[in-house]
Amino acid sequence: MQKAVYNYLSKYYDDAERVDRLIVCAFMEVNGMPPTQNALLNSYAILPESHEGNILKEFVEVIRQTQTMLDFEHLIELFEFVVSPSDKVVNGAVYTPKNIRDYIVRRCINPEQARRLNYKAADIACGCGGFLLAATQTIKALTQHSYAAIYQDHIFGVDITSYSISRTKALLTLYAVAQGEDREAFQFNLFTGNSLDFDWAQQLGQPEFNGFQCIVGNPPYVASRNMDELTLELLRKWSVAGTGHPDLYIPFFQIGFESLSPNGILGLITVNTFIKSINGRALRQYFETGQVDLEIINFGGEQVFRDRNTYTCICILQRTTPGIRYIRCESKAIESLNARDFAHFAYADLHHSDGWNLVNSAAVGENLARIERVGIPFKDLYDTKNGIATLKNHVYKFTPVSEDKTYYYLTEDQEGDKIEKKICRDIVNANKLKTGDDLIRKLEKVIFPYKIINGQVNIIDESTMMKSYPHTYRYLLQHKKLLATRDKAKKNYETWYAYGRRQSMDIKGYKLFFPHICERPRFVISENSDLLFYNGIAVVSEDLEKLMVLKKLLESDLFYFYIKNTTKDYASGYISLSRNYLKNFGVYQFSADEIAEFLNSGQPELYLQEKYRLDIF
């Protein structure tokens, strides 16, 4: 859609009824739809001579000036766009591209079953109805039933917001009328409700309800930190949400699968993190315990959803042959996929607790397994730490303009802000380190309002701050209101100038730094045992040689092959190096002689291939 159209509608976010009238009336006018007998569409009518009529004229003019057409795909985009930004955060609404919807629906609607009178297709988080329109079109092509019959007997949906259900009804009604089926009313099985606690048998008045033959959709993407208390409470009903901090999409696998008829098919596009994440552990176990027939089309680092930093996959679930069929590909390739393109995995060969290593090639999978069988797993050898978390780094962290024996100065004017040196520590951004020289070039200072005594980290009390560090105290006081906004102003800190999190404040030892997210990882060793860091990760050890060996190992092609095939993908070829993806990497246990040989080797790749018994490069 053209930006001008979106900008015009953005003025009416907070008035769902008005914006819906504008969209429906504009759609009918731009497409030259004649007067209708349908009561629902007529309820959206806007009087031409009214104030709203003038707004409609302006809106139609904006559409005609910026677009050559306004079809049903544009209509779905408009309905999704006008979901208010606050609701998108809480309810996870996002527009699903047409090619994705059509593919999932075609995969999940069985033509033979769809021709039966009791066939039921549902979307249990239907939003504004895009998936239900695709299901309608498919059932119509297979059966030639009237739209009235399809809506009344075959199409079902639920969404947590009433305006989404209203928009779904408007979308499906407009479609039927545009296809020449103009009726005074259509009967819908569309409900406002929370799928986490929704009883279909009760809502349909059918105690004998046996589930849906097809469920499709795009469940909401909401992190646990953005959920209200009711949602968090309802999550506890679902076993798949029992590990980590579950995202809202996770229980929709269980809800959907358990809402299927015995021969039903569930098709979802969801976040792909459940394949490896801690909060996906219970879901992976659910698939394994239930011996689910699971097909995954992973889009890797491709961002399918416009304007959303989300990494997704298509999942097709059935109760047929237990196991996983997997492929990673671009979304544009899905139409050309066939059965032989998928790699097959048995649940017995995977580890639901540690995360699944799923790859396109059986040979790659075997090499990954070999690497993990070598030596000792990374997680059992190394202590990894995340950096400090002040939650307002720009307040605490600085690069001094100048300094003297007592103070760091933040401005050229030495009468301006200055910070007592004794309350500061050296700090680096681990994400930005590429060479050892960066430890000096990119060194910064951080206000450290703590004292460490016998390994205990204690906040400096306010009276001591005022007396011993008056300039620092005055500086922090200037930012007190800003510091209070951390954690959405919902957390009480031990002292108002305390860091947002108590992590990594007393890390002693040598450190091997590396970034959380990168293309080809770089590793830098610091011998400064007191050095603090933010962002990135560090392996901490008292044994410098141990870190030197690890650095050379992790910089190898062998490690890159492993991490590239087991980690989370991001856009532009970036990958994650978080501990969850490092933990099972097998670390070869070098003897003392082998350590010297490896560190001095001019051909470390060949050396590692011999030790790991691989020939993959």
Side-chain angles (χ1 to χ4, degrees):
M1 293 291 291
Q2 294 292 332
K3 188 175 181 180
V5 177
Y6 288 147
N7 287 341
Y8 193 92
L9 283 178
S10 65
K11 296 180 287 186
Y12 304 106
Y13 273 143
D14 297 329
D15 191 344
E17 291 185 7
R18 168 177 281 189
V19 80
D20 287 355
R21 286 196 300 273
L22 283 175
I23 292 173
V24 170
C25 291
F27 182 87
M28 295 181 72
E29 184 171 337
V30 169
N31 286 285
M33 292 179 65
T36 174
Q37 62 175 314
N38 184 265
L40 177 63
L41 296 185
N42 285 332
S43 72
Y44 287 98
I46 296 174
L47 295 175
E49 64 276 10
S50 66
H51 172 67
E52 204 167 30
N54 292 328
I55 295 174
L56 174 61
K57 289 177 185 177
E58 290 180 0
F59 182 46
V60 168
E61 186 61 25
V62 170
I63 294 172
R64 286 176 169 158
Q65 287 179 356
T66 59
Q67 294 193 205
T68 57
M69 63 185 300
L70 184 65
D71 61 14
F72 280 95
E73 197 59 26
H74 293 131
L75 180 60
I76 295 169
E77 287 189 68
L78 287 177
F79 277 150
E80 294 285 1
F81 170 76
V82 294
V83 175
S84 72
S86 59
D87 279 359
K88 287 178 180 178
V89 170
V90 175
N91 299 326
V94 61
Y95 165 77
T96 308
K98 184 177 188 300
N99 69 312
I100 301 293
R101 299 196 315 268
D102 288 347
Y103 177 84
I104 292 175
V105 168
R106 285 199 302 273
R107 287 294 313 278
C108 294
I109 291 184
N110 182 301
E112 182 179 341
Q113 292 180 7
R115 296 186 180 96
R116 299 172 185 169
L117 293 178
N118 66 345
Y119 187 79
K120 295 178 175 63
D123 184 345
I124 57 176
C126 67
C128 299
F131 273 94
L132 293 181
L133 177 60
T136 295
Q137 293 167 332
T138 300
I139 293 172
K140 178 69 172 178
L142 291 170
T143 67
Q144 295 305 310
H145 291 329
S146 68
Y147 289 105
I150 292 172
Y151 296 156
Q152 183 170 333
D153 299 328
H154 303 298
I155 296 295
F156 298 77
V158 61
D159 195 87
I160 198 168
T161 59
S162 59
Y163 60 73
S164 290
I165 294 301
S166 296
R167 290 167 184 169
T168 299
K169 290 179 179 179
L171 172 70
L172 297 179
T173 300
L174 279 168
Y175 187 79
V177 172
Q179 302 307 309
E181 190 174 322
D182 189 3
R183 296 175 182 261
E184 183 177 351
F186 293 94
Q187 300 301 313
F188 294 104
N189 299 292
L190 300 172
F191 304 94
T192 300
N194 190 333
S195 288
L196 296 174
D197 191 29
F198 192 80
D199 188 330
W200 280 101
Q202 182 182 51
Q203 290 293 330
L204 296 174
Q206 299 176 9
E208 74 285 357
F209 178 69
N210 195 33
F212 299 100
Q213 285 75 35
C214 167
I215 297 177
V216 293
N218 179 2
Y221 306 149
V222 182
S224 57
R225 65 180 178 274
N226 293 321
M227 297 180 199
D228 58 31
E229 290 301 320
L230 175 60
T231 301
L232 291 171
E233 179 65 28
L234 291 176
L235 279 181
R236 298 186 182 100
K237 292 181 55 178
W238 305 99
S239 64
V240 297
T243 50
H245 299 286
D247 290 322
L248 189 53
Y249 80 92
I250 286 178
F252 279 79
F253 280 102
Q254 185 176 1
I255 296 167
F257 194 66
E258 294 177 7
S259 297
L260 290 175
S261 63
N263 58 354
I265 305 176
L266 170 65
L268 303 175
I269 178 165
T270 76
V271 177
N272 61 19
T273 53
F274 75 88
I275 296 172
K276 298 283 287 190
S277 66
I278 292 174
N279 70 7
R281 184 178 293 162
L283 177 59
R284 294 190 296 270
Q285 183 175 14
Y286 177 83
F287 291 142
E288 179 179 343
T289 301
Q291 290 293 284
V292 176
D293 182 336
L294 172 62
E295 181 175 296
I296 301 175
I297 303 173
N298 188 357
F299 299 131
E302 178 186 0
Q303 294 178 322
V304 171
F305 300 133
R306 187 173 59 245
D307 301 325
R308 291 293 292 268
N309 293 324
T310 305
Y311 302 95
T312 56
C313 62
I314 290 174
C315 296
I316 309 293
L317 287 73
Q318 304 178 69
R319 293 185 179 90
T320 50
T321 306
I324 298 173
R325 297 182 304 283
Y326 176 88
I327 189 170
R328 174 180 163 181
C329 67
E330 294 182 344
S331 61
K332 64 183 180 182
I334 57 178
E335 297 295 343
S336 61
L337 292 177
N338 55 60
R340 67 175 180 272
D341 295 323
F342 290 82
H344 293 251
F345 297 86
Y347 288 111
D349 297 329
L350 301 171
H351 305 283
H352 71 258
S353 181
D354 284 342
W356 292 338
N357 286 343
L358 302 177
V359 289
N360 287 6
S361 162
V364 170
E366 176 54 32
N367 281 327
L368 295 176
R370 287 183 185 178
I371 291 172
E372 291 187 346
R373 289 194 294 264
V374 168
I376 299 175
F378 181 97
K379 63 184 177 183
D380 295 334
L381 290 172
Y382 302 105
D383 183 20
T384 58
K385 300 289 187 181
N386 293 315
I388 65 167
T390 70
L391 303 191
K392 277 289 181 283
N393 275 354
H394 69 281
V395 173
Y396 295 92
K397 179 182 64 65
F398 63 95
T399 300
V401 172
S402 61
E403 63 181 277
D404 58 27
K405 185 177 180 180
T406 307
Y407 300 110
Y408 292 120
Y409 295 93
L410 305 187
T411 65
E412 294 288 353
D413 179 10
Q414 293 197 354
E415 296 303 316
D417 288 332
K418 55 186 176 181
I419 306 296
E420 287 84 1
K421 281 187 168 183
K422 288 184 178 180
I423 201 173
C424 295
R425 296 273 298 273
D426 289 339
I427 193 169
V428 292
N429 182 346
N431 277 344
K432 293 186 176 181
L433 300 177
K434 295 182 179 179
T435 69
D437 291 341
D438 288 337
L439 291 170
I440 299 174
R441 283 200 306 264
K442 299 182 178 180
L443 188 67
E444 301 171 279
K445 305 297 179 182
V446 65
I447 296 170
F448 190 75
Y450 296 89
K451 290 291 186 183
I452 302 176
I453 302 173
N454 297 325
Q456 295 296 315
V457 180
N458 299 302
I459 191 78
I460 298 173
D461 65 77
E462 195 160 0
S463 62
T464 302
M465 281 286 289
M466 294 172 66
K467 181 179 179 180
S468 301
Y469 310 102
H471 296 286
T472 301
Y473 181 78
R474 187 179 304 117
Y475 166 81
L476 291 174
L477 201 60
Q478 294 170 7
H479 298 87
K480 185 174 182 178
K481 289 184 178 179
L482 179 61
L483 293 177
T485 64
R486 293 176 293 174
D487 285 306
K488 300 180 180 179
K490 294 180 179 180
K491 182 177 178 180
N492 292 321
Y493 299 103
E494 53 188 321
T495 304
W496 60 267
Y497 48 79
Y499 287 177
R501 301 285 182 271
R502 267 186 164 268
Q503 64 183 49
S504 302
M505 292 193 291
D506 185 29
I507 301 177
K508 294 289 186 180
Y510 305 115
K511 304 172 188 73
L512 177 65
F513 292 121
F514 52 98
H516 269 294
I517 299 171
C518 61
E519 291 178 281
R520 179 80 185 232
R522 297 171 182 263
F523 302 85
V524 174
I525 292 178
S526 169
E527 298 182 33
N528 181 353
S529 63
D530 293 321
L531 182 64
L532 294 176
F533 71 102
Y534 65 100
N535 298 333
I537 308 173
V539 175
V540 182
S541 175
E542 296 294 334
D543 186 335
L544 181 59
E545 185 178 68
K546 182 179 179 180
L547 288 188
M548 293 171 64
V549 172
L550 180 62
K551 178 179 184 293
K552 193 157 188 173
L553 177 58
L554 297 184
E555 288 175 342
S556 69
D557 289 343
L558 182 141
F559 173 75
Y560 186 63
F561 165 82
Y562 175 84
I563 198 69
K564 183 71 174 175
N565 283 287
T566 58
T567 189
K568 174 180 172 61
D569 295 294
Y570 292 93
S572 303
Y574 281 69
I575 59 174
S576 172
L577 283 178
S578 74
R579 68 189 68 182
N580 192 44
Y581 305 114
L582 291 169
K583 63 184 180 183
N584 291 322
F585 176 70
V587 179
Y588 178 78
Q589 295 304 285
F590 297 92
S591 67
D593 290 340
E594 288 175 329
I595 287 175
E597 189 177 356
F598 177 55
L599 290 177
N600 294 316
S601 173
Q603 295 181 306
E605 302 300 343
L606 293 176
Y607 190 87
L608 289 175
Q609 286 188 56
E610 177 186 341
K611 300 303 179 185
Y612 280 80
R613 298 183 180 179
L614 295 174
D615 185 16
I616 56 179
F617 307 111

